Amino acid sequence: MQHRNAGFSLIELVVTLAILALLASVAVPFAQLVQQRHKETELRDALRQIRTALDAYKQGVKEGRIEAAADASGYPPHLDALWQGVADKTRPDASKLYFIRRLPRDPFYPDAAAPPADTWGVRSYASPPDAPSPGRDVFDVYSLSPRTGLNGVPYREW
């Protein structure tokens, strides 16, 4: 009578583990790429939302619905004004104008506990485009991330 050994040989196990390691080495970079693309999409959407809200605020000042000094640029004094609202001076009940439901966070900002307004770099109307700096108002926002996007452009310049 012949006895057959049931199970796998050592060589079969080593070959199987090598194949699994090869598949994992291909899957991990792909997963990281997918995650980066997702964050880049979030960043694009967040920038679009905030910039649209900034333009709507400026339009409200232009239409005379928002109180602004004569020498002011017409942009909000801080990002939180976009979601906290400002008084509509054309309404007798002084109801508020809201420009965004909530302020989105920069998806590349490392501190998840930081307030959303602190996750963005802000550029005032008076600062030049090549050297953005904060000032009396918020003319534009940008990512504070030092990383570069998949398209080769630093996130700070999006």
Side-chain angles (χ1 to χ4, degrees):
M1 238 202 232
Q2 247 182 353
H3 291 289
R4 296 186 105 206
N5 289 338
F8 298 104
S9 71
L10 182 59
I11 292 178
E12 290 173 327
L13 287 175
V14 169
V15 168
T16 303
L17 288 176
I19 291 171
L20 287 175
L22 180 66
L23 290 174
S25 69
V26 171
V28 169
F30 181 72
Q32 290 172 341
L33 180 68
V34 168
Q35 182 182 18
Q36 185 173 358
R37 280 190 184 153
H38 177 69
K39 282 187 172 185
E40 285 185 1
T41 301
E42 284 183 44
L43 178 62
R44 261 190 218 96
D45 290 344
L47 288 170
R48 186 177 301 113
Q49 286 177 16
I50 294 171
R51 288 172 177 160
T52 300
L54 290 171
D55 292 341
Y57 188 100
K58 171 76 172 167
Q59 185 65 31
V61 170
K62 185 178 177 182
E63 293 171 354
R65 298 180 73 186
I66 300 170
E67 189 78 37
D71 64 342
S73 67
Y75 289 97
H78 50 80
L79 282 175
D80 288 330
L82 299 174
W83 67 270
Q84 290 174 345
V86 292
D88 184 351
K89 70 178 198 174
T90 62
R91 303 280 309 248
D93 62 352
S95 60
K96 288 187 171 187
L97 291 170
Y98 298 97
F99 303 95
I100 197 167
R101 286 192 177 123
R102 67 173 181 81
L103 190 64
R105 303 177 51 77
D106 180 348
F108 290 102
Y109 195 77
D111 183 9
D118 294 345
T119 66
W120 298 102
V122 294
R123 173 184 168 212
S124 72
Y125 185 76
S127 72
D130 56 342
S133 61
R136 292 178 24 182
D137 56 16
V138 179
F139 173 68
D140 196 13
V141 294
Y142 58 90
S143 177
L144 295 172
S145 176
R147 296 175 57 187
T148 300
L150 294 172
N151 61 359
V153 178
Y155 294 131
R156 186 179 180 94
E157 296 175 12
W158 282 27

